[in-house]
Amino acid sequence: MHRLFAALCLSLPLSAAQAALPVQLGPRPFFLVEDMADGPLKQKLQACAATRTEYKPTLFSIGHRGAALQFPEHSKESYEAAARMGAGIVECDVTFTKDKELVCRHAQNDLHTTTNILATPLAAKCIKPFTAAEFDAEGKLVKPAAAECRTSELTVAEFKSLKAKMDAFNPRARTVAEYMAATPAWRTDLYAGPGTLMTLDEAIALYKKLGVKMTPELKAPSVAMPFDGFSQADYAQKMIDAHKAAGVPPGDVYAQTFFKADVLYWVAHEPEFAKQAVFLDAAEKPADLPTAEQLKQYRAEGVRIVAPPLFALLALDANGQLVPSDYARNAKAAGLDIISWSLERSGPLVGPGNKGFYYQGVGHTLTRDGDLYRVLDVLGRDIGIRGLFSDWPATVSFYANCMGLK
C-alpha cells in the first residue's frame, strides 16, 4: 500500500515554477510534532525536522480556500499564503455574479459572513437585510441575528469593491458591527486587513504566477437555474473555458463538484479535464456514504477521483487504533483515487468530545493537536490518498516532504 502511494505521488510531476517556489512552513508543523505522543511516527518526523533544511511544494498538499485558518478564505492573501506553505494545488470555489461573471466564494450566498458587505452601501442589495437578535426578558436568545447576501445580486465590479473577512457571524448580535466581529478564538484577524476578493480569471492568473495547480469547485447556485438564460451546463462549461482561455493544460486542473451530473457533463464534453475531475461526497454521517457497488458504478460512469470528508476514511480497530475505513478500502477496490477534506478546519483537538463533523466515530481517540499527524499517516500511508485539503497547508506539506512524497 505504501509503495502504491509513493508511485502515485511520483506520477504527478511539479512544474518548473513549482519546483523553484521557496517554501516557508513556519512553526506550526514543528509544534504539532512535539505535541505528539511518543512513538515511531513522532521519532521519524522529529528526525526529519532536525535534519531537513529545505522543503518543496507537493501535490499532496491542497490549500482549502487558500490558507483559511488565519487568512480570509478565497482572498488573494490566502491563496498566496497557501502557495508559500508548499501547497501544490490551491482551491477557488466558483460561483457567479449578476452579470454572470465567475468569482471565488465558498457559496453564492455567503457574502454576509465572508465579506464586509453589511458595512457598505451594497448591503441594500442583500436578499435578506441584517436583522438584530431578539431576547426575552430573562436575556435568553429567542431569535438569532440574520442576513443573506448573494453574489448574484451584485455586478462583478460591485463584488470586487468588497473586502474579504474571516468567515464568521455572531448570532447574538444587536448591530452589524457585532454580527461581523465573530472570528473564533482559535482563528485570527491578524491577517484580515487587505482581504482582496478575486474573480476566477484573476485567481487563475495568480495560480500561474505562483506555479500551483488549480482545483476550482463548481458551487451549487442559490438561485433557480437557468439564471437569466444561464443554464447549469453553461455554468459548468464556463468554468472549464476560463482555464482553457488562460492556456492552462487539463493536467493542471482538478475540477470539483458535489453533483455527479456536473462530472458526467465534463466526461461527455471535456474528457481531458474530466480525467482529473473530482466528485465531492456530501455525506453528513457514515450511513450516508456510498456502498461498494455504488463506488464501482461511479467508476463505470467515468468518475476517477472521489473526495469524501475525513470521517469517511477513518475507523478504529479492536485496539482503538486509527485504521482505514471500509469506504476507503471499497473506493480503492473500485479503482478510484481519493482526495479528502479538510484538515485543521474544525478547531483544536485538545480536550474531550467527538471533535464534530470531521472526526465523528473516532474523535474521542484524538486528544491532542499532535494527533493530526496520526490522522495524516493513516490517510497518506495506509490508505494512499492522492491529496488532502487543509486550512493550514504547511502541516500537510511538512508531512509529505518528510515521507518523500512529491
Side-chain angles (χ1 to χ4, degrees):
M1 184 68 75
H2 296 179
R3 288 194 296 272
L4 175 61
F5 175 54
L8 178 59
C9 290
L10 288 170
S11 71
L12 302 170
L14 295 171
S15 69
Q18 286 174 300
L21 186 69
V23 173
Q24 305 169 23
L25 295 180
R28 182 161 178 77
F30 309 99
F31 165 82
L32 293 175
V33 170
E34 293 307 311
D35 190 56
M36 295 175 68
D38 290 337
L41 178 60
K42 179 176 183 176
Q43 292 169 7
K44 184 177 181 65
L45 294 177
Q46 282 179 320
C48 174
T51 59
R52 181 174 285 272
T53 59
E54 182 183 24
Y55 296 88
K56 296 181 179 181
T58 167
L59 298 182
F60 187 68
S61 179
I62 307 172
H64 182 236
R65 314 185 198 182
L69 183 65
Q70 294 194 7
F71 289 80
E73 64 184 49
H74 295 306
S75 66
K76 176 176 180 286
E77 295 76 19
S78 189
Y79 295 155
E80 289 173 337
R84 290 191 180 104
M85 288 186 229
I89 306 171
V90 180
E91 178 188 45
C92 165
D93 290 330
V94 178
T95 188
F96 55 86
T97 59
K98 184 177 182 178
D99 42 1
K100 306 183 193 71
E101 294 299 317
L102 302 185
V103 297
C104 299
R105 284 291 91 198
H106 182 248
Q108 190 167 55
N109 64 339
D110 73 0
L111 295 181
H112 51 290
T113 65
T114 66
T115 76
N116 66 336
I117 189 171
L118 292 177
T120 77
L122 290 173
K125 296 198 171 188
C126 292
I127 190 166
K128 294 181 181 178
F130 170 76
T131 55
E134 297 178 10
F135 301 85
D136 64 17
E138 285 74 41
K140 180 180 178 181
L141 181 67
V142 295
K143 185 178 180 181
E148 183 180 352
C149 306
R150 298 177 176 177
T151 62
S152 52
E153 301 300 314
L154 307 181
T155 66
V156 69
E158 290 170 332
F159 170 82
K160 284 287 294 174
S161 74
L162 300 174
K163 295 292 184 183
K165 74 175 190 68
M166 297 299 283
D167 183 14
F169 72 97
N170 177 6
R172 301 179 65 85
R174 299 176 189 267
T175 67
V176 165
E178 289 178 351
Y179 186 82
M180 294 173 60
T183 303
W186 50 273
R187 293 184 181 267
T188 181
D189 287 315
L190 187 63
Y191 305 110
T196 308
L197 297 188
M198 304 206 80
T199 66
L200 176 59
D201 288 344
E202 289 171 336
I204 291 171
L206 178 64
Y207 297 162
K208 290 175 71 175
K209 178 181 176 181
L210 295 172
V212 298
K213 294 181 187 284
M214 310 163 192
T215 183
E217 181 187 335
L218 196 73
K219 301 302 294 189
S222 298
V223 295
M225 298 293 278
F227 175 74
D228 189 26
F230 188 55
S231 70
Q232 185 68 23
D234 294 335
Y235 181 29
Q237 186 64 53
K238 186 166 185 173
M239 190 180 85
I240 299 299
D241 286 346
H243 294 82
K244 293 166 71 173
V248 181
D252 284 355
V253 180
Y254 298 78
Q256 310 174 76
T257 177
F258 276 101
F259 302 97
K260 188 168 65 171
D262 293 331
V263 176
L264 299 184
Y265 173 87
W266 294 324
V267 169
H269 299 277
E270 293 289 350
E272 290 305 307
F273 284 89
K275 290 177 181 178
Q276 291 187 160
V278 180
F279 181 26
L280 295 154
D281 197 307
E284 295 187 358
K285 57 185 182 301
D288 298 335
L289 292 167
T291 65
E293 288 306 311
Q294 288 173 314
L295 291 168
K296 291 177 184 176
Q297 182 63 28
Y298 291 172
R299 188 65 182 86
E301 291 174 310
V303 175
R304 299 192 181 192
I305 306 173
V306 289
L310 286 173
F311 74 80
L313 302 176
L314 303 172
L316 300 175
D317 65 13
N319 298 316
Q321 298 300 307
L322 286 175
V323 294
S325 68
D326 289 341
Y327 171 97
R329 294 188 177 94
N330 291 339
K332 284 291 185 179
L336 294 164
D337 285 340
I338 303 171
I339 288 172
S340 191
W341 50 277
S342 295
L343 203 71
E344 300 185 89
R345 183 70 189 166
S346 56
L349 297 181
V350 174
N354 64 10
K355 310 304 183 293
F357 172 79
Y358 289 101
Y359 300 105
Q360 52 190 295
V362 303
H364 63 283
T365 71
L366 307 173
T367 59
R368 56 175 77 198
D369 290 332
D371 285 339
L372 285 171
Y373 280 124
R374 287 175 51 211
V375 171
L376 242 173
D377 205 46
V378 173
L379 299 173
R381 293 205 296 168
D382 295 338
I383 300 173
I385 68 171
R386 183 165 180 159
L388 180 60
F389 283 93
S390 175
D391 278 29
W392 201 244
T395 300
V396 179
S397 300
F398 170 79
Y399 173 87
N401 272 263
C402 289
M403 295 302 176
L405 311 178
K406 304 299 184 183

